[in-house]
Amino acid sequence: MERRKRPWLLAVALVGVAAWYLGFTGGGPLERRPVAQPADIVQTYLLNSRSLTYAENGSLTQVMEAARVEHLADTQVSDLVRPRFYSHDGDDQTWSASAARGRLKHRTSVLILRDDVVLTDDKAGGVLETRAMTLHLQQRRAKSEVPVKLTQGNNVLTADGMYADLKHQTIRLTPGVEGIYVPEGS
């Protein structure tokens, strides 16, 4: 009789251990959530932040603002909510960029903007809209590899992507460029 109890006890014990394991981890191996790594842990929170950068001669070169900044420990990366970036050249030439969210890579000075991205030439009034854009802050360059829409007055250009040199005030639209030109006074 005792020989019959041992397999049952072993089976019940294994089922109990399996139930405990699945209950403890939240599901099977495919459903488990990864444990947060130290690099994923937010080290610093900032609300309504503003950072100014100046050239060696003392002139303002950049302004970075965000409604919320979460700096991740050990990665030198900050996640941004409603970031705004202003590039100044000291000659009343400014560009503004804004988005719903962004990520700033501190080591490389790269700002990645996502969702409702708008790049504006503040002096000329041109507005470029896209879903995603990468800005190389030190080189003052921006690029987008997704569709863009450039509007200035009543004129509209669309393209599959773009490259902007903020220092030299130029935008180069990449393949698939289409436009609507409306002459002034029309």
Side-chain angles (χ1 to χ4, degrees):
M1 190 82 150
E2 272 196 47
R3 286 186 182 176
R4 289 184 190 170
K5 288 184 183 178
R6 285 185 186 169
W8 278 101
L9 287 175
L10 181 60
V12 168
L14 288 175
V15 168
V17 168
W20 173 81
Y21 175 76
L22 292 175
F24 182 76
T25 61
L30 297 177
E31 294 179 4
R32 273 189 257 149
R33 292 186 180 143
V35 177
Q37 300 297 317
D40 296 336
I41 297 173
V42 176
Q43 181 180 25
T44 306
Y45 293 97
L46 298 172
L47 299 175
N48 299 319
S49 69
R50 186 172 205 200
S51 169
L52 307 172
T53 304
Y54 295 90
E56 290 180 10
N57 66 5
S59 64
L60 181 65
T61 58
Q62 295 177 5
V63 177
M64 177 85 70
E65 299 175 341
R68 181 180 174 102
V69 178
E70 295 178 353
H71 180 71
L72 304 175
D74 300 329
T75 62
Q76 293 299 313
V77 170
S78 293
D79 287 329
L80 312 169
V81 174
R82 290 193 318 274
R84 290 175 306 281
F85 170 75
Y86 305 94
S87 174
H88 299 269
D89 73 351
D91 219 6
D92 289 334
Q93 294 288 334
T94 62
W95 289 81
S96 305
S98 64
R101 60 189 178 95
R103 175 166 271 197
L104 177 61
K105 297 180 179 183
H106 298 279
R107 287 187 185 140
T108 57
S109 294
V110 171
L111 175 62
I112 301 166
L113 299 175
R114 297 284 184 261
D115 302 329
D116 301 323
V117 180
V118 177
L119 177 67
T120 306
D121 180 344
D122 295 326
K123 191 169 186 177
V127 177
L128 186 134
E129 300 170 84
T130 187
R131 289 186 336 260
M133 182 182 299
T134 302
L135 288 112
H136 297 271
L137 303 180
Q138 289 182 350
Q139 294 87 10
R140 296 181 54 202
R141 294 184 187 137
K143 75 175 182 176
S144 178
E145 296 177 349
V146 296
V148 298
K149 177 182 170 184
L150 178 62
T151 307
Q152 187 165 11
N154 293 328
N155 304 311
V156 178
L157 292 171
T158 58
D160 295 333
M162 72 88 195
Y163 170 83
D165 185 336
L166 307 181
K167 188 185 290 184
H168 295 103
Q169 302 290 312
T170 59
I171 294 178
R172 184 178 72 223
L173 299 174
T174 54
V177 179
E178 294 182 14
I180 299 173
Y181 172 71
V182 179
E184 285 193 30
S186 296

